[in-house]
Amino acid sequence: MTSTPRDAAAVVLLRHNANPANPEVFWVKRNENLAFLGGFHAFPGGQIDASDAEIEVANAPSREAATMISGAARELFEELGVLVVRGGDLLTNGQRRSLLDDLESGRMTWPKLLEHYELHLDAGDFTFVGRWITPPFSMRRFDTWFFLVNCPVKQEPLVVPGELSSGEWIAATDGYERWLTADITAVPPTLHALKTLAGGISPDLVDRFLSVPQAHGQTVNRIEFRPNYICFPVRTPTRPPATHTNTYLVYNSEEILIFDPGSPYEEEQRALAAGVDELRAEGRVVKMIILTHLHPDHVGGVNALKKHLGDEVTVAAHEETATAISEVPVDHHIQDGELIALNGEPSIQLRALHTPGHARGHLCFHDRDRGVLLTGDNIVGLGSVLIDPPQGNMIDYLKSLDRMRAIPGLTILLGGHGPAMITPYQKIDEYLNHRLEREAKILAAFQRGISEPAEIVAAVYTDVSPKAHAMAERSVIAHLEKLAAERRL
Ligand SMILES: [Zn+2]
């Protein structure tokens, strides 16, 4: 089951008196410690409050639009201290700060605050520029309305460190350039806004914002966390909380690599084929379909895609994977250390790393020039990694994590499920520590005389819902195998 997106609003804030040919916009950086899109660049915004609907917004085209505008105005005020209201021209900076304090301390609700100071919102100050829905690869999903807003003359946005770590004015072309050079990571609507504003402020600006179907709530399935790397989530019969597997399309001017076309569902296969065809229509050919490992949610769409592309397309995987999936013919066995290079521009070379643990034939792929690591199911952006013997092996898994940890210069992890992770070493350490903590607890339980895996689960996995206990039992068995092999039991 995919979670229902929650209503949210965000503001693309334009600087007063900026160059219309290359306007400046205020972007913020999300705190790196946030579980959801930590470290990403974004625009101020957030979830709609129930009280947002209580406010009258002059000239709003509908009640729904009024609520969204109210939420956008409130979020902008809470996150950056910028208050876009009518009737507030005489407020001093100090007064605005005390208003913000009233709001944040809960002394006054947003509707009460506007009423008390005789301020009102006007839809004319908030130009609707799109409605984007978070792709279904995330547990937290939003149906976000974006508004273009001019920053009032005498106000200067200020980020209070917390959920956001910083914020700054940036020329749209510079922001877009920083994405092109892999200096920042942003979600599709942010990127689209930067690209659109980089085209300058012209009479057709709003039309350009709204020119893509994703700006009207249509599924976003082409997510570029890095240039030349498309994350394309497809619905699969995978392990909750994940509902989708990330297929990756890595491409340059001439060739395309397709990783893990995992969906067995026809509709999803058609969507992926259409995505691949878009790249092919621009003159590229598919070099290879590559499988990170054998699990059904990573290989379920290979045969259909191969049929679509023509049988000459090579399917490649580790030998351990190839021999385990008789239903999917594998043409090429990828060895540890093998270099897969694309013909064309820019140069893209991926080094295969045999990283067993989650599965015996598990492969990761490292792009040294860009610091990108495709982690398959060894590290994921959503949910946890199951180590299920005999395919799963805890000794191998921890060794593989160590090996990944030792790769220098990583800037991003692209996992088999969930959003990208842009604090690679922090993430890998989290995984290592988590496993070692569990192991210490399992060992302690064992030493207290609890030896049945199910009983160990009950004693150790107190933070995990009983629904997940069967899975946890597999992990306990994997840990016990490791401890036994290390003669620690
Ligand atoms: Zn898997």
Side-chain angles (χ1 to χ4, degrees):
M1 193 197 74
T2 302
S3 64
T4 315
R6 296 180 196 168
D7 286 339
V11 172
V12 182
L13 188 67
L14 292 178
R15 191 171 203 171
H16 181 68
N17 269 343
N19 173 9
N22 184 13
E24 280 174 274
V25 61
F26 198 85
W27 71 1
V28 294
K29 189 178 180 195
R30 293 172 55 78
N31 196 309
E32 291 194 343
N33 297 323
L34 293 174
F36 182 67
L37 306 181
F40 277 56
H41 277 71
F43 296 124
Q47 216 175 307
I48 297 297
D49 261 4
S51 71
D52 291 330
E54 295 167 20
I55 291 168
E56 289 302 322
V57 177
N59 302 311
S62 66
R63 186 58 251 171
E64 193 185 17
T67 301
M68 294 300 166
I69 288 169
S70 166
R74 179 184 49 71
E75 286 287 338
L76 180 64
F77 189 39
E78 286 176 348
E79 293 195 335
L80 301 183
V82 171
L83 187 57
V84 179
V85 292
R86 302 281 175 104
D89 300 344
L90 297 176
L91 290 174
T92 63
N93 283 333
Q95 283 169 321
R96 258 195 313 275
R97 227 171 293 131
S98 92
L99 255 61
L100 184 56
D101 195 47
D102 285 342
L103 182 63
E104 295 201 315
S105 62
R107 272 195 298 278
M108 254 188 229
T109 63
W110 176 233
K112 270 271 158 302
L113 183 139
L114 294 181
E115 191 195 311
H116 185 84
Y117 293 96
E118 293 179 23
L119 306 170
H120 40 267
L121 300 174
D122 193 302
D125 299 332
F126 297 80
T127 307
F128 174 77
V129 286
R131 181 172 176 179
W132 293 66
I133 297 177
T134 314
F137 66 8
S138 167
M139 276 233 275
R140 291 183 58 189
R141 297 182 65 213
F142 300 100
D143 178 347
T144 309
W145 291 43
F146 286 81
F147 296 97
L148 200 59
V149 172
N150 289 307
C151 189
V153 185
K154 285 175 191 155
Q155 296 190 46
E156 192 52 35
L158 188 72
V159 167
V160 182
E163 188 169 326
L164 304 178
S165 62
S166 62
E168 63 187 335
W169 291 111
I170 181 136
T173 52
D174 293 346
Y176 189 60
E177 181 65 24
R178 284 181 64 184
W179 174 77
L180 283 175
T181 54
D183 190 31
I184 62 124
T185 312
V187 293
T190 313
L191 210 54
H192 177 66
L194 291 172
K195 219 165 148 177
T196 304
L197 287 171
I201 295 185
S202 57
D204 67 344
L205 177 65
V206 174
D207 293 337
R208 283 189 282 123
F209 263 100
L210 297 174
S211 66
V212 296
Q214 304 92 286
H216 302 272
Q218 212 180 88
T219 313
V220 179
N221 51 18
R222 186 186 159 128
I223 307 158
E224 294 176 83
F225 293 117
R226 282 287 180 272
N228 302 99
Y229 283 77
I230 297 174
C231 172
F232 198 109
V234 289
R235 191 167 58 84
T236 56
T238 186
R239 227 161 45 80
T243 56
H244 287 63
T245 298
N246 293 335
T247 296
Y248 287 97
L249 308 177
V250 182
Y251 69 97
N252 66 3
S253 61
E254 289 181 25
E255 293 190 312
I256 312 162
L257 297 173
I258 304 170
F259 292 84
D260 291 354
S263 182
Y265 309 125
E266 236 178 81
E267 198 190 332
E268 297 293 305
Q269 292 172 347
R270 268 202 301 275
L272 177 63
V276 173
D277 284 351
E278 258 179 57
L279 294 175
R280 291 164 79 209
E282 294 164 350
R284 303 178 185 91
V285 295
V286 174
K287 186 186 185 77
M288 236 184 242
I289 296 172
I290 298 175
L291 310 175
T292 60
H293 67 294
L294 80 172
H295 287 147
D297 57 327
H298 292 257
V299 308
V302 174
N303 289 343
L305 184 61
K306 191 164 164 152
K307 203 167 152 205
H308 174 79
L309 293 172
D311 278 333
E312 65 280 5
V313 170
T314 304
V315 177
H318 190 270
E319 191 177 357
E320 290 268 16
T321 302
T323 51
I325 47 167
S326 51
E327 70 282 11
V328 179
V330 172
D331 314 295
H332 172 68
H333 293 169
I334 298 178
Q335 315 267 348
D336 181 49
E338 188 170 323
L339 196 63
I340 298 162
L342 295 188
N343 293 314
E345 294 299 321
S347 150
I348 295 181
Q349 300 192 328
L350 290 171
R351 177 84 63 190
L353 302 172
H354 182 215
T355 44
H358 174 68
R360 287 177 180 170
H362 192 284
L363 294 169
C364 293
F365 295 88
H366 177 215
D367 178 340
R368 198 179 61 183
D369 297 332
R370 294 171 183 77
V372 175
L373 187 63
L374 293 168
T375 57
D377 268 4
N378 271 7
I379 294 190
V380 293
L382 172 64
S384 58
V385 173
L386 178 64
I387 308 301
D388 184 5
Q391 265 297 330
N393 181 296
M394 195 61 77
I395 295 182
D396 287 348
Y397 182 59
L398 291 177
K399 266 192 208 153
S400 290
L401 290 180
D402 278 335
R403 187 173 177 202
M404 292 155 80
R405 180 75 177 75
I407 300 170
L410 293 180
T411 63
I412 194 165
L413 304 179
L414 301 176
H417 307 275
M421 297 152 276
I422 59 173
T423 51
Y425 300 104
Q426 194 178 315
K427 196 63 177 178
I428 300 171
D429 283 344
E430 238 173 67
Y431 268 59
L432 281 164
N433 293 336
H434 172 72
R435 294 291 172 178
L436 294 175
E437 271 166 35
R438 280 272 195 247
E439 182 174 282
K441 285 183 185 161
I442 290 166
L443 183 59
F446 190 85
Q447 286 163 346
R448 290 200 304 274
I450 309 173
S451 59
E452 280 305 312
E455 289 168 23
I456 294 179
V457 169
V460 171
Y461 286 71
T462 48
D463 56 330
V464 168
S465 104
K467 269 192 268 175
H469 277 190
M471 298 288 184
E473 207 175 312
R474 302 306 303 164
S475 277
V476 166
I477 292 167
H479 277 293
L480 290 174
E481 277 182 10
K482 172 174 179 285
L483 290 166
E486 293 168 350
R487 300 182 182 283
R488 291 163 67 196
L489 290 185

